[in-house]
Amino acid sequence: IATMRDLSKKHQLDKVVKKNNLDIQQCDVLDPLSIGKLSSYIEKTYKKIDVLINNAGIFLGGFFEDCSLDEMDAVMNTNVKGVFAVTKAMLPFLREANQGKIVNISSSSGLVPLPLVSIYAASKFAIEAWSESLSYELSPNNIYVTCIEPQIYNTEMLKSNLNITKGLKNKKGPNYHYYNFFLKQINKKQNKARDPKEVIQVIQKVIQSKSPKLRYKVGPSTMIKSMCRSWIPFSIYHTIVKKIFWKLVR
């Protein structure tokens, strides 16, 4: 079952549907009624599910000071509350199968927070902490919880879904003159982004595993950032990141 917020875009998946026997259903993770309709459909049609993949999420870039409360709410509601709501609705179907897997798409930002992505990083840190707690709670039911932690990949998050705070346009803002640097960095990442098939392969590995791990780091950038954060004393690491950041923006 693949869910879409907007079914008018369903035609984009026609080739995938034919090859993979997909059942496309509507679901908006921010709408309890939409989630409820999906639950009712699953109960009538399938009775149970084996795997839940929480992939809904949005990005927000920019200085925290420039982000509006509405922008923050959009990220936290989608990336955190929406994931909670869908998981809560699907757990009875996983229990019915007496086994199952919950795969949460996290991010390298959920491991190593960096400048200019504070709200997005906060949402992914929340998913990391929640997933770990949930993994203990569900272990007696033979339900595994896994976080996939990818670096930036070549997806719509860097294209049509790229979301930079509207505060960057405020010429009187204290950080206005730094955004040229930030946008250039985003453009570089777009050009160098890796094939998302790497992430799909890891998800397949989790689904096929009898006892998957809690966390899977995906991509060399994630590995490097994670190792630096783990191996270098934090006071030194923290100072290095600050110095590099200010050298770049100035």
Side-chain angles (χ1 to χ4, degrees):
I1 307 166
T3 64
M4 302 181 71
R5 184 173 49 183
D6 182 4
L7 286 182
S8 67
K9 298 178 180 180
K10 184 177 178 180
H11 64 279
Q12 297 176 2
L13 297 178
D14 284 347
K15 292 182 180 179
V16 183
V17 170
K18 292 177 181 178
K19 289 183 179 180
N20 297 279
N21 192 31
L22 280 182
D23 181 351
I24 308 294
Q25 294 296 316
Q26 194 276 339
C27 184
D28 182 346
V29 302
L30 299 181
D31 183 357
L33 290 177
S34 176
I35 297 172
K37 288 180 180 178
L38 177 64
S39 297
S40 297
Y41 173 78
I42 292 174
E43 184 174 12
K44 293 177 182 178
T45 309
Y46 298 104
K47 307 297 181 185
K48 63 179 182 178
I49 61 174
D50 300 299
V51 180
L52 167 65
I53 300 176
N54 285 310
N55 189 48
I58 57 175
F59 175 78
L60 176 64
F63 286 86
F64 170 80
E65 191 174 6
D66 298 325
C67 298
S68 70
L69 291 177
D70 285 343
E71 288 174 327
M72 296 179 196
D73 282 345
V75 174
M76 300 306 287
N77 286 341
T78 302
N79 295 9
V80 182
K81 189 176 179 181
V83 173
F84 289 179
V86 171
T87 302
K88 190 174 179 65
M90 296 299 118
L91 275 174
F93 304 119
L94 290 166
R95 287 181 179 275
E96 186 65 28
N98 197 32
Q99 61 175 353
K101 299 179 178 75
I102 298 172
V103 181
N104 297 321
I105 307 303
S106 180
S107 167
S108 60
S109 294
L111 296 172
V112 183
L114 292 175
L116 301 172
V117 292
S118 61
I119 305 303
Y120 179 73
S123 73
K124 294 304 182 179
F125 261 74
I127 291 299
E128 291 282 337
W130 169 72
S131 297
E132 186 169 338
S133 287
L134 190 64
S135 70
Y136 301 129
E137 296 177 14
L138 297 179
S139 58
N141 302 102
N142 199 31
I143 299 174
Y144 291 87
V145 181
T146 292
C147 282
I148 306 294
E149 301 158 336
Q151 64 177 70
I152 292 178
Y153 278 86
N154 186 19
T155 68
E156 291 303 312
M157 191 179 86
L158 286 178
K159 299 174 185 176
S160 61
N161 291 338
L162 181 62
N163 191 22
I164 309 298
T165 177
K166 295 177 182 177
L168 69 86
K169 298 179 181 179
N170 180 12
K171 294 183 179 181
K172 295 181 180 180
N175 306 303
Y176 176 74
H177 57 292
Y178 296 137
Y179 277 102
N180 281 336
F181 157 78
F182 182 44
L183 295 174
K184 287 179 181 178
Q185 293 302 307
I186 292 289
N187 187 54
K188 286 181 181 179
K189 291 182 183 297
Q190 288 174 332
N191 295 330
K192 296 180 180 180
R194 297 170 70 89
D195 190 333
K197 287 182 179 179
E198 294 179 3
V199 182
I200 295 170
Q201 289 170 354
V202 176
I203 295 173
Q204 289 176 328
K205 178 180 177 181
V206 170
I207 292 172
Q208 293 166 2
S209 173
K210 291 183 179 180
S211 53
K213 298 185 296 184
L214 175 62
R215 294 182 170 94
Y216 287 81
K217 300 177 182 66
V218 189
S221 177
T222 300
M223 300 293 186
I224 293 170
K225 287 190 289 186
S226 179
M227 285 190 292
C228 289
R229 178 70 183 266
S230 300
W231 292 354
I232 301 174
F234 182 73
S235 59
I236 297 175
Y237 169 85
H238 193 234
T239 300
I240 291 173
V241 173
K242 285 195 292 185
K243 287 184 176 180
I244 292 174
F245 175 65
W246 283 109
K247 185 177 180 180
L248 288 172
V249 296
R250 286 179 173 172

